[in-house]
Amino acid sequence: MQRRILLSGLFAAFAAAAACSDDTPTLSGDDQFPPGTTPVTREVLIPASQFLRVLGSYDGYTDASDAPFVEVAENYEGLYAHALTRFRGFPTNVTYRAAGGTRTDTTFSYRPSSLVARIDTLASTTGRLTLSVYAATQSWDPGSTTWENAADTSGVRTPWTQAGGTRGTLLAQAVRTPGGADSLVFTLSPDAVRALSDSLSPGVIITAQEAGVRVRLISLLLRASVKPDSAANADTTIVTTVNSAPKAGIFTPGQPAAPQGTIAIGGIASARTLVELNPRQQVPACASGSCGTVPLSQVELNSVALLLRPVSVPNGFAPLGFVTYSMRRVSEPELGRFAPLGAVVSEQGAERFRGGDSLAVVSFTTLTFASSRNPDLPITFALVAEGAGNSPATFGVGFFRADPMLRVVYTLPARRVLP
């Protein structure tokens, strides 16, 4: 039997998330309670003020140049974003089969070629999408370029002649309809490919056409088709893949700062929030809830989870798709922004919150069990979005109310069952 007890300060939004289950969670053994007693499992929601203190939210650990993706947007809730890339690794010679052998030719001509852009469909809007590829006409620095500046290095700032990247000739367009493939293929003319193969080429700028669009590009590559000049067969072509390196994302406005008192996680600046937990929490000691409380250390813990309620994020920076996040140990919280992160302690290592969901849930049952029995363990942690290496996990940032709830599912022995 499972019962639910709602402690003071609950909100209606948590009613569904805390719904009772008829299933009794699996216990760690059959000898947890004396023979002849009936275990009672219940769920308790504890307000933040009783178990958590927010120490501060910080960001600025990464920027767009660290991202493994680029974002493109056209007035998506006020957000504009363009992708820039240059292509390196064009062939200097081509080898092909001829007259039963192979030949290598250092002179060749380009044929119509394909630029392929892979889309993260889960982190993009779902409507019709038209992307345009323009020739860039101004050099830019991948580590410092912004919406306003082509470069900002060694104290020298070079503004774009045209904000958002100085664009020249329209090279190609591609359309993705709702439910379409996860790649867009642009056809580039031989002249366009030849120009891009020049080592001095500034590359291309990719923009979106439809208002309300936001799309994440996770890779860009150019499949260049070339024909050896000495090939006798006019149909002889070789396709070589040229990767984009480097690439950069520029956008306006910048990522919004977290409102005062808000828990911030993720985003292009890799926001994190330091929190201090009180694992020596008290829960009701009987089914009625009228017989006092008992420490967590004296009950059988089945599940402990932090429930975060999202708040709106302005300027089109709300997460799209899933945000992978976790809880990490922090051993020196007094360092604030510079506190080093320790091991992941959330239950699944990293969990996923879908932008727009009513709750984000971070499970840490094992941690709570250990901390409730060992007062010397660290009680300060960082809520972070998990990226690959030193890179932002996502473009969108999650803002959450600073009054989350702790959901505890635990089991107590009821009074002895009489024959």
Side-chain angles (χ1 to χ4, degrees):
M1 179 172 82
Q2 179 177 349
R3 302 193 181 199
R4 183 180 62 188
I5 298 177
L6 304 183
L7 300 186
S8 60
L10 297 189
F11 295 84
F14 286 96
C20 294
S21 169
D22 293 332
D23 297 329
T24 299
T26 302
L27 303 179
S28 58
D30 295 330
D31 57 352
Q32 299 298 311
F33 304 105
T37 63
T38 302
V40 175
T41 298
R42 67 202 22 184
E43 184 180 54
V44 173
L45 295 179
I46 304 171
S49 58
Q50 297 185 29
F51 80 94
L52 177 144
R53 184 164 67 99
V54 177
L55 303 181
S57 287
Y58 310 99
D59 61 20
Y61 301 98
T62 57
D63 59 29
S65 66
D66 300 310
F69 53 81
V70 286
E71 210 86 0
V72 178
E74 178 65 22
N75 196 15
Y76 176 74
E77 300 177 3
L79 175 71
Y80 295 82
H82 294 165
L84 294 81
T85 192
R86 294 193 288 264
F87 297 95
R88 295 293 181 262
F90 283 91
T92 57
N93 58 68
V94 292
T95 300
Y96 63 99
R97 295 188 63 84
T102 60
R103 293 191 60 177
T104 298
D105 199 338
T106 57
T107 61
F108 53 85
S109 57
Y110 286 103
R111 292 293 186 257
S113 302
S114 299
L115 171 59
V116 182
R118 285 190 58 214
I119 298 172
D120 184 343
T121 56
L122 295 179
S124 305
T125 53
T126 58
R128 177 185 170 88
L129 169 68
T130 304
L131 294 188
S132 299
V133 178
Y134 291 90
T137 60
Q138 187 175 350
S139 296
W140 48 276
D141 173 62
S144 63
T145 184
T146 64
W147 188 264
E148 295 81 14
N149 300 310
D152 188 357
T153 58
S154 302
V156 178
R157 181 176 298 172
T158 306
W160 288 110
T161 303
Q162 179 183 10
T166 308
R167 299 179 287 285
T169 304
L170 175 64
L171 302 180
Q173 286 187 321
V175 177
R176 181 180 186 270
T177 56
D182 62 358
S183 295
L184 282 178
V185 180
F186 304 85
T187 300
L188 299 178
S189 70
D191 287 343
V193 180
R194 187 181 308 108
L196 294 175
S197 69
D198 189 321
S199 61
L200 299 180
S201 168
V204 299
I205 299 172
I206 302 176
T207 69
Q209 296 301 299
E210 295 88 354
V213 162
R214 190 177 123 195
V215 58
R216 177 178 298 177
L217 305 181
I218 53 178
S219 72
L220 293 163
L221 59 87
L222 197 162
R223 292 176 179 156
S225 295
V226 298
K227 179 186 181 302
D229 288 351
S230 61
N233 187 344
D235 294 331
T236 299
T237 58
I238 297 96
V239 177
T240 182
T241 298
V242 182
N243 291 313
S244 63
K247 57 181 180 291
I250 56 176
F251 49 87
T252 188
Q255 178 178 301
Q260 185 69 27
T262 300
I263 291 174
I265 305 175
I268 205 71
S270 295
R272 67 180 64 157
T273 297
L274 303 188
V275 297
E276 183 180 84
L277 302 184
N278 173 22
R280 289 164 286 282
Q281 185 59 242
Q282 301 278 326
V283 292
C286 62
S288 65
S290 60
C291 55
T293 60
V294 62
L296 287 178
S297 58
Q298 297 180 23
V299 302
E300 180 71 17
L301 285 176
N302 301 303
S303 174
V304 180
L306 184 67
L307 308 182
L308 300 168
R309 292 182 294 172
V311 298
S312 61
V313 180
N315 303 334
F317 276 86
L320 292 177
F322 288 97
V323 180
T324 303
Y325 60 92
S326 64
M327 180 182 288
R328 288 183 173 270
R329 288 191 189 277
V330 174
S331 59
E332 300 177 88
E334 65 276 6
L335 296 179
R337 169 183 300 279
F338 304 102
L341 300 181
V344 173
V345 294
S346 47
E347 206 71 6
Q348 281 77 41
E351 302 182 59
R352 304 181 78 193
F353 162 71
R354 185 173 179 85
D357 281 1
S358 59
L359 289 176
V361 181
V362 185
S363 301
F364 52 104
T365 309
T366 303
L367 169 70
T368 306
F369 176 87
S371 299
S372 65
R373 287 157 174 77
N374 185 351
D376 295 326
L377 290 177
I379 58 173
T380 306
F381 307 93
L383 295 168
V384 301
E386 294 288 347
N390 186 35
S391 63
T394 183
F395 184 82
V397 60
F399 291 162
F400 302 90
R401 291 182 53 165
D403 57 347
M405 304 293 286
L406 187 69
R407 181 175 64 199
V408 184
V409 180
Y410 63 102
T411 302
L412 286 169
R415 64 179 60 180
R416 185 178 298 275
V417 178
L418 300 177

